[in-house]
Amino acid sequence: MRVTGLVTALRSEAACVSPGRVPFNQPASLNDQTLLWLSGMGAQSARAAAQGLQQHGVTALVSFGVAGALSDQLKPGDLVLPDAIHSGELLPVDCAWRDRLQRQLPASITVFNGLLADSHVPLTDEKAKRGLAQTSGAHAVDMESAAVAQVAKAANIPFIAVRAIIDPVYFSPPQALLTAVNPDGSVKPLHLTALLLKRSVRLGTLLQMGAGMREARKTLSQVIEMVGTGLASQGN
């Protein structure tokens, strides 16, 4: 039996796959053919999740969640189904599987292919984003897909990334806000209130981030609704 393993960094991403509360940093069985692992942010967490899923018998891996735009062409809610992951080396995506998935999506979802770049740290300004775009040739960036792709490559199992844009190239979450976020992306309310009172973070910034997340989650939820949690048939 083919079993797909999905890695999500954020609780808000996992909620697009499963309506119930997903346990943190352990496998959640969605059905006989799908396991979901809510890993927390960053490459180390995503790698551990992908390895854990592999040990639980998955036969394919998916990096599922949000990404930041590196191009003016991409806006919140657009979907990135990359050809490969740029992380010093080019990490392969099962393009046959990716293409089958893409063909099943409605025309209302704007899809971009090309490269998805890896970053070891959150990019908190436009200059950093445009610099990475220039050096990598990528349209978008995240912090987890490369790690999941590396595990899939080592295990010789199919891999795809499914990433919805949360912020445009000209907008990024401020560095100060990162201290008010838990590893699973949930907010520390008291810490966030303190940042707002000190004006280290502006309310308008939070509203823009919330709007971007809503658009990204709408797209991710549509993908699951149309294709299923196993994201249709796996690779070859």
Side-chain angles (χ1 to χ4, degrees), residues 63-79:
S63 173
F64 185 90
V66 300
L70 297 181
S71 164
D72 291 306
Q73 291 180 282
L74 278 72
K75 65 183 186 303
D78 288 345
L79 186 67

Side-chain angles (χ1 to χ4, degrees), residues 32-51:
D32 290 342
Q33 296 180 308
T34 315
L35 290 177
L36 172 65
W37 195 303
L38 172 58
S39 67
M41 294 180 286
Q44 184 175 351
S45 297
R47 183 175 294 106
Q51 290 170 339

Side-chain angles (χ1 to χ4, degrees), residues 4-227:
T4 302
L6 282 73
V7 177
T8 65
L10 307 179
R11 190 164 294 282
S12 54
E13 297 167 340
C16 298
V17 183
S18 174
R21 184 170 178 81
V22 176
F24 183 63
N25 202 26
Q26 58 182 288
S29 178
L30 304 184
N31 51 55
D32 290 342
Q33 296 180 308
T34 315
L35 290 177
L36 172 65
W37 195 303
L38 172 58
S39 67
M41 294 180 286
Q44 184 175 351
S45 297
R47 183 175 294 106
Q51 290 170 339
L53 287 168
Q54 184 198 350
Q55 291 164 8
H56 280 78
V58 303
T59 58
L61 284 167
V62 181
S63 173
F64 185 90
V66 300
L70 297 181
S71 164
D72 291 306
Q73 291 180 282
L74 278 72
K75 65 183 186 303
D78 288 345
L79 186 67
V80 179
L81 299 176
D83 302 325
I85 312 300
H86 185 282
S87 179
E89 60 176 328
L90 285 182
L91 297 163
V93 163
D94 188 314
C95 288
W97 180 14
R98 188 277 312 271
D99 291 346
R100 286 194 294 273
L101 165 62
Q102 187 166 332
R103 285 194 294 269
Q104 295 179 69
L105 298 177
S108 58
I109 296 179
T110 301
V111 180
F112 288 84
N113 300 131
L115 296 181
L116 174 64
D118 175 54
S119 178
H120 297 299
V121 296
L123 301 184
T124 56
D125 61 67
E126 182 179 354
K127 182 179 179 181
K129 284 184 169 183
R130 294 196 183 277
L132 182 57
Q134 186 171 10
T135 58
S136 67
H139 294 301
V141 58
D142 74 15
M143 297 170 58
E144 294 83 27
S145 291
V148 181
Q150 287 165 349
V151 173
K153 181 180 179 182
N156 194 29
I157 59 176
F159 163 81
I160 59 171
V162 178
R163 291 276 168 170
I165 296 299
I166 184 173
D167 48 56
V169 67
Y170 58 83
F171 175 81
S172 301
Q175 184 73 35
L177 186 61
L178 301 178
T179 62
V181 178
N182 292 309
D184 67 354
S186 59
V187 173
K188 303 173 184 176
L190 293 178
H191 199 139
L192 180 59
T193 300
L195 290 176
L196 287 168
L197 290 174
K198 291 188 293 185
R199 298 190 178 182
S200 300
V201 174
R202 297 186 179 277
L203 180 59
T205 298
L206 295 182
L207 293 175
Q208 186 167 352
M209 288 181 62
M213 177 57 87
R214 284 192 297 275
E215 290 300 316
R217 288 189 61 195
K218 178 181 176 182
T219 296
L220 293 174
S221 296
Q222 278 187 283
V223 172
I224 295 298
E225 181 180 349
M226 295 298 299
V227 188

